[in-house]
Amino acid sequence: MTGTIQVVICRCCVEKPALIDLARLEAVAAETELVSSVVISEAVCDGKGATDVAKDAQAKDGDRAVVVACDKKDFDPALLRAYRRAGIDELMVEFLNMREGVVLPHARDNERAQAKAETMLRAALKRAMMLKPLEMETEEMRTRNVVIVGAGVAGRAAAETAARAGMHTILIEKGDRSFKAPGVLMTRAKVVGGKGYPGNYVLTIKAGEKVEELECAAVVVATGGGWTTLKGPLAKACKEAIPLYRLHEQVTAGAVPKGPIVIADTPDPSGKSLRVMDFAWEEALETAISLKRTHPQTDVTMVFQEMRAFGLSELAYKEAADMGIRFVRYDKSGAPKIDSKDPTKLTVKDLAQGELLTLSFGTLAFASLPANPDNKDIADALRIPMTPEGAMRRGSIQRWPVSTPRPGIYVCGSALFPKTAEVAKAEGEAAGAMAARFAISGTISFGGVVAEVTQEKCSACLTCVRTCPFEAPFIGKASKVEIRKQLCQGCGMCAGACPSKAIDLLHFTDDQVREQSRVLLGGDF
Amino acid sequence: MIVAKRKPIADIAAMVEPYKKVAVIGCRSCVAICLAGGEKEVKTTVSALKVRNRRDGRQQKFEALVVERQCEKEWVKEVEETVKSADLVLSMACSLGAQTIADMYPERIVFPGLDTGFFGVPEEQGVWTEKCVGCGNCIIHLTGGICPVARCAKSMMNGPCGGSSNGHCEVNLDIDCAWYAIHERLRLQKRLDLIEKVMPPKDWSTAHHGGRRTYVKEEARLTQHQKKGRERAK
Amino acid sequence: MSDRRPRVVGFCCERHASDSATLAARSGKEWDASVRTVTVPCSGRVDGLMLLRAFEDGADAVFVVGCLEKNCYYDTGSIEGRKRVENVKSMLADLGIEKERIEMFNAASTNPWAFPQAANKMAEVARRLGPLESGGESK
């Protein structure tokens, strides 16, 4: 039995700037069957009015809602909490992004914007009608262990933070440095395999000759950058060159690096073995500026193919130039080379000048580093996707900077891209906190948006088993596919690939998606 | 398994065009597994034809369904109503399925939507290669588990031929020379003595060359008495 | 050229594609109101049947937006999405329907112009080629 739908329209999102006739939206909602009430809220996206919305929902006793506002990812969680208290499960609330879907992008298209808004509302209402309550299952986490791979700056920070939150931490370090760490420190140890699922991972650790299994709830990957394997003609020709973060450490410690200083974007200008890292410029600018502030007499030159300072770093670019830091831009026609006769000289063709420059240096620093080759082993063992450069992939640069797409596995420090010690430490603290927060509940909750198999239709063709990157489908009893819900990420690749239409993705079933598409195409254009 | 692939969609479109009501029937067995005629492919084909009809302004009715195994009469019987009420049945099973429907309902028009190819194995997801031609007299115990009838371009019984080059076949350098593979396999198994044994020319009478074949398992056949019993039970 | 307005539907993944569309709107970018979007968890959720059904249901152009292939949130989702789109493209081409009517795009969540570019391109295609009813050569 489909329950009644509460519709909430947020004025903040729908009326600023003025474009949409809210009253007409209200009318569309009110005339739709199963809609029990239409609540107009001032700013439900900000959490204001959440209580009123919940009160109305409770009174109308419905089990689902359509919220016409902005991007659901930016909503104040107060609304969902209020809904939960009113008996409406999170997955039964359909968010319609009117602001970024219509009000902003079609600001100058009044007539068509209204038609689109009304059609989108109808599609959202239809989808809400088709939603089904989804069961979540829970399982106990067998341990509260948080394993941190790598005992560098980031790893140690992660361990401290997680331990402070009450987790039992196990630091795995491949070297044999010994130092004070919370929990357990395993030296000369490497992660060689892993199985299980978020909350109940089982890692295979090789310590010396011994191989043992370690259960944990969450993992923090802090394997660092690959300085010892620096490749590229410039690194080969100049053995004393240092990574940028080392230069930064020296400057912060008050040491005087031998001048003149040359900071090059990469030890491999051809890009064959190493691409220029995304954040090379920001780090390089900050380091150069710190250097010039403390040692204004030292000559600092930055040799780059392009200077991509983003956001507020643009100001750093100007500041650096004003302080007398020289910028030399090159391209492949005149890439930097170490002078074969004198390894303290760097030749490069300055594109602005159009001539070959010879730069003497006391210190040569590289802003880009190759990823740690160990990363590939860890990524394979834990099945974390990697970037083409060989670094760990982040969930999302904006929203989840220290998470991987695999829940319960976090990453920090130079394993992502080379960075200074302070930034690595901060990321380590963040990752440790997230791992602790994940493990602290002691229970894993799974289900909801997961794949579901209709076994009678399954041809056991193995397509889903081969397609899923998370190993969620497997051939179970009766030689039909079953889904390991704890591993299922709810992406639906299997549902799209199944030749017998035996798998569907709950919450985004074939029928639900098709209906939405059909209603959207059916309205006025 | 049997490996087939869908006929070019333009060919199918032309084949079904004159018919007002078309039933497209697939199969959950081999052709679903080789991604040619399962429920998804059946529905996708119907959808593509409907899109073409939208473009051309043509009216046609389609029904899309699958049966468990289209070469079995009992399963085809389950969709008898659909078969009988359609102007055309487009079978998206292998030719065995298509012919089963055609034989069971001789007055109905049944067209094949797939081209049935061979007995093959999935080398990797999405790639199927032929490894058996159904010669009816399997000799792979003498060739280290590799069939020269299917995998050698000349189906030689004693290879390789002079055209074998760096382990590849002279017909097509992308194809491995089966006899090179057989040699290496027997070497691995320390059974190279088998290579020295000369195999006589193949007796093709057990293969399709001898005509259409029928296999009978006497123990499984229903006697007249059993068949009568079933009739009474109906 | 027909009088009827073009109808375009896009299937956007919940991760980078949706984030980039939101960022685009907040950055003041505009795009053609002919374009409506359906959100799916991953562009790999989309199969050929869904795309063809959109054409059945009245779309003149259809597109899919997923994460960059090297950075898909679900690892290989946008690769799957692309293969599905390519398959439908070749089917439409074989039927004499312009293959530009269906397209795959990839967007990074931090890119404010990728989504509007995709949406506007498909709206332009739908306008230029006209409604599907008038499209291509009968085959």
Side-chain angles (χ1 to χ4, degrees):
Chain A
M1 263 304 288
T2 302
T4 56
I5 308 171
Q6 179 202 54
V7 178
V8 178
I9 305 182
C10 176
R11 270 199 210 279
C12 162
C13 298
V14 175
E15 291 191 320
K16 296 182 178 64
L19 179 75
I20 303 294
D21 182 342
L22 196 148
R24 274 171 58 188
L25 283 187
E26 204 181 340
V28 166
E31 319 163 332
T32 307
E33 62 166 301
L34 288 179
V35 171
S36 62
S37 59
V38 185
V39 177
I40 314 288
S41 180
E42 283 313 306
V44 75
C45 47
D46 267 349
K48 304 184 191 120
T51 352
D52 296 332
V53 165
K55 243 199 292 204
D56 175 87
Q58 197 127 39
K60 299 294 184 330
D61 203 26
D63 68 347
R64 55 198 76 203
V66 170
V67 178
V68 183
C70 56
D71 191 328
K72 76 174 181 201
K73 288 177 188 157
D74 298 316
F75 255 70
D76 191 301
L79 180 67
L80 284 175
R81 283 200 298 267
Y83 268 130
R84 217 171 296 136
R85 285 194 299 269
I88 295 185
D89 185 77
E90 180 176 338
L91 285 174
M92 298 298 277
V93 180
E94 179 64 18
F95 285 90
L96 174 56
N97 190 347
M98 191 59 74
R99 183 166 183 263
E100 280 91 28
V102 179
V103 177
L104 294 181
H106 308 314
R108 289 181 293 175
D109 206 344
N110 303 51
E111 184 210 338
R112 303 188 56 194
Q114 186 67 29
K116 180 171 168 179
E118 289 177 23
T119 306
M120 280 172 68
L121 178 55
R122 280 187 231 275
L125 288 165
K126 189 70 208 279
R127 182 171 156 75
M129 270 183 247
M130 293 179 80
L131 292 177
K132 287 199 166 57
L134 298 174
E135 290 281 307
M136 298 294 284
E137 292 169 55
T138 54
E139 193 179 297
E140 286 292 303
M141 289 184 189
R142 289 194 293 271
T143 69
R144 289 297 212 306
N145 293 345
V146 173
V147 169
I148 298 111
V149 187
V153 169
R156 292 205 301 274
E160 307 268 332
T161 314
R164 261 203 308 277
M167 300 300 114
H168 178 60
T169 59
I170 300 141
L171 256 176
I172 313 279
E173 166 57 43
K174 71 173 183 202
D176 48 20
R177 286 182 284 177
S178 191
F179 46 84
K180 194 159 167 290
V184 169
L185 167 66
M186 294 175 74
T187 52
R188 290 212 195 99
K190 291 181 102 158
V191 173
V192 295
K195 55 179 197 270
Y197 41 87
N200 275 326
Y201 284 117
V202 180
L203 303 184
T204 310
I205 314 282
K206 186 155 186 269
E209 287 312 311
K210 246 181 18 160
V211 173
E212 59 182 89
E213 300 223 308
L214 186 54
E215 292 197 310
C216 62
V219 183
V220 175
V221 177
T223 42
W227 171 235
T228 52
T229 60
L230 197 59
K231 286 189 277 248
L234 289 182
K236 251 209 280 198
C238 176
K239 302 283 191 310
E240 286 85 39
I242 58 174
L244 180 66
Y245 69 78
R246 196 79 82 203
L247 178 65
H248 187 100
E249 273 165 13
Q250 291 174 1
V251 172
T252 318
V256 186
K258 186 157 171 260
I261 317 274
V262 169
I263 300 175
D265 57 356
T266 171
D268 182 5
S270 71
K272 282 206 187 79
S273 62
L274 175 66
R275 284 169 25 142
V276 182
M277 306 261 93
D278 284 340
F279 292 84
W281 304 279
E282 187 196 14
E283 301 283 338
L285 283 171
E286 295 298 327
T287 306
I289 290 171
S290 304
L291 189 52
K292 259 313 219 198
R293 276 206 197 109
T294 48
H295 303 86
Q297 301 307 319
T298 309
D299 204 35
V300 179
T301 308
M302 296 186 48
V303 179
F304 278 72
Q305 292 172 69
E306 49 180 340
M307 190 47 80
R308 247 196 275 165
F310 59 89
L312 293 174
S313 303
E314 282 267 329
L315 300 174
Y317 185 25
K318 184 177 187 306
E319 189 184 343
D322 288 344
M323 287 170 106
I325 294 167
R326 274 193 306 170
F327 290 91
V328 173
R329 211 179 113 228
Y330 72 88
D331 68 13
K332 294 207 170 65
S333 70
K337 289 192 183 62
I338 302 286
D339 191 322
S340 49
K341 297 190 211 80
D342 183 353
T344 65
K345 286 192 163 61
L346 182 88
T347 60
V348 60
K349 183 170 136 197
D350 183 324
L351 282 179
Q353 300 280 88
E355 60 184 47
L356 203 68
L357 293 182
T358 304
L359 303 168
S360 281
F361 61 86
T363 307
L364 174 62
F366 295 122
S368 300
L369 292 175
N372 188 342
D374 290 342
N375 280 351
K376 182 156 192 319
D377 299 332
I378 308 282
D380 283 346
L382 300 178
R383 248 98 71 240
I384 309 170
M386 297 189 84
T387 67
E389 289 89 23
M392 300 299 180
R393 206 183 279 184
R394 279 199 275 217
S396 158
I397 251 181
Q398 302 159 310
R399 298 180 194 276
W400 309 107
V402 290
S403 304
T404 64
R406 294 201 84 204
I409 304 187
Y410 307 92
V411 60
C412 53
S414 294
L416 288 166
F417 56 87
K419 52 179 60 91
T420 59
E422 301 120 60
V423 179
K425 182 158 175 277
E427 284 185 359
E429 286 166 3
M434 293 208 64
R437 194 171 73 166
F438 179 81
I440 213 163
S441 69
T443 338
I444 315 162
S445 163
F446 52 91
V449 184
V450 289
E452 188 179 67
V453 180
T454 306
Q455 296 213 317
E456 306 88 73
K457 293 175 96 175
C458 174
S459 298
C461 68
L462 297 170
T463 296
C464 59
V465 173
R466 292 170 185 153
T467 306
C468 177
F470 307 104
E471 294 180 15
F474 68 100
I475 303 289
K477 347 178 230 292
S479 293
K480 301 281 181 159
V481 167
E482 291 174 41
I483 304 286
R484 275 183 275 255
K485 292 204 204 115
Q486 299 93 328
L487 286 173
C488 177
Q489 298 299 304
C491 68
M493 266 188 260
C494 57
C498 176
S500 292
K501 286 281 162 208
I503 302 188
D504 213 346
L505 180 66
L506 293 176
H507 206 61
F508 290 97
T509 63
D510 281 346
D511 288 341
Q512 286 168 341
V513 177
R514 202 260 168 105
E515 257 316 283
Q516 205 178 2
S517 165
R518 199 183 61 79
V519 175
L520 285 175
L521 288 165
D524 282 336
F525 274 73
Chain B
M1 65 200 171
I2 296 177
V3 181
K5 62 177 160 65
R6 197 198 60 221
K7 280 184 171 296
I9 190 79
D11 292 358
I12 295 181
M15 279 159 85
V16 309
E17 197 177 298
Y19 300 90
K20 285 268 156 275
K21 194 166 171 218
V22 182
V24 184
I25 309 180
C27 177
R28 265 204 272 284
S29 299
C30 311
V31 297
I33 298 171
C34 64
L35 314 178
E39 188 173 320
K40 186 171 92 146
E41 288 299 315
V42 166
K43 288 183 168 161
T44 304
T45 303
V46 167
S47 195
L49 294 173
K50 284 184 176 171
V51 172
R52 175 177 178 266
N53 285 352
R54 180 188 153 202
R55 195 269 312 272
D56 295 340
R58 185 180 299 108
Q59 300 298 326
Q60 250 182 328
K61 270 197 167 60
F62 292 95
E63 230 185 298
L65 27 92
V66 285
V67 295
E68 184 64 34
R69 222 164 43 244
Q70 212 175 103
C71 50
E72 302 274 19
K73 299 193 178 85
E74 283 89 337
W75 271 306
V76 171
K77 193 102 168 96
E78 283 180 3
V79 296
E80 181 168 280
E81 220 182 284
T82 305
V83 170
K84 286 187 164 166
S85 66
D87 300 326
L88 170 73
V89 171
L90 179 74
S91 167
M92 281 186 69
C94 67
S95 180
L96 303 172
Q99 290 187 60
T100 303
I101 302 182
D103 288 345
M104 280 175 73
Y105 304 101
E107 71 286 354
R108 313 310 307 173
I109 315 278
V110 182
F111 283 179
L114 306 186
D115 287 324
T116 307
F118 49 83
F119 305 137
V121 304
E123 290 287 15
E124 52 172 271
Q125 181 68 4
V127 180
W128 298 272
T129 52
E130 185 172 19
K131 286 215 173 139
C132 172
V133 296
C135 75
N137 184 7
C138 193
I139 46 105
I140 66 173
H141 53 296
L142 302 171
T143 55
I146 297 171
C147 174
V149 183
R151 294 155 81 166
C152 167
K154 300 194 235 190
S155 299
M156 297 184 69
M157 291 291 102
N158 303 279
C161 69
S164 175
S165 163
N166 277 336
H168 294 286
C169 178
E170 65 179 345
V171 164
N172 179 344
L173 287 174
D174 290 331
I175 303 178
D176 294 337
C177 167
W179 277 99
Y180 176 76
I182 291 170
H183 185 275
E184 291 305 281
R185 179 73 61 81
L186 290 174
R187 192 224 296 268
L188 184 74
Q189 296 177 352
K190 298 190 174 49
R191 293 163 76 210
L192 275 174
D193 52 298
L194 287 169
I195 284 273
E196 289 174 20
K197 287 208 177 71
V198 175
M199 284 207 265
K202 188 164 180 67
D203 175 2
W204 292 99
S205 64
T206 56
H208 181 66
H209 306 58
R212 182 183 111 160
R213 294 162 290 175
T214 301
Y215 281 8
V216 178
K217 192 171 171 73
E218 280 304 335
E219 176 196 308
R221 297 189 78 181
L222 298 178
T223 64
Q224 278 302 103
H225 183 86
Q226 281 174 304
K227 282 184 197 165
K228 277 210 200 95
R230 282 181 59 81
E231 281 299 316
R232 253 180 263 123
K234 264 202 199 131
Chain C
M1 271 306 190
S2 150
D3 285 339
R4 204 200 72 187
R5 282 180 178 149
R7 295 176 190 191
V8 182
V9 72
F11 293 85
C12 293
C13 80
E14 214 171 22
R15 302 289 176 180
H16 286 234
S18 290
D19 284 351
S20 77
T22 298
L23 180 63
R26 291 177 185 170
S27 307
K29 304 271 181 285
E30 296 179 347
W31 57 85
D32 200 308
S34 313
V35 175
R36 311 270 158 93
T37 58
V38 176
T39 304
V40 286
C42 175
S43 52
R45 170 73 187 95
V46 175
D47 65 21
L49 185 54
M50 237 175 237
L51 299 170
L52 286 167
R53 289 225 163 120
F55 281 111
E56 270 188 70
D57 291 337
D60 302 316
V62 176
F63 64 103
V64 176
V65 189
C67 308
L68 296 180
E69 285 185 17
K70 66 177 182 177
N71 204 24
C72 175
Y73 189 92
Y74 297 106
D75 201 0
T76 52
S78 47
I79 295 173
E80 281 294 310
R82 172 173 46 85
K83 290 191 280 176
R84 316 268 170 81
V85 169
E86 295 293 311
N87 188 20
V88 174
K89 227 191 224 284
S90 72
M91 267 208 259
L92 291 180
D94 287 347
L95 291 172
I97 297 173
E98 304 94 333
K99 59 180 177 7
E100 295 97 321
R101 290 188 188 265
I102 183 152
E103 198 54 82
M104 173 82 198
F105 298 95
N106 303 86
S109 60
T110 48
N111 185 340
W113 50 257
F115 180 83
Q117 186 170 271
N120 287 331
K121 173 160 187 233
M122 295 314 285
E124 190 263 321
V125 161
R127 231 174 232 109
R128 182 166 44 88
L129 299 178
L132 184 70
E133 284 80 354
S134 61
E137 2 140 354
S138 286
K139 258 202 201 155

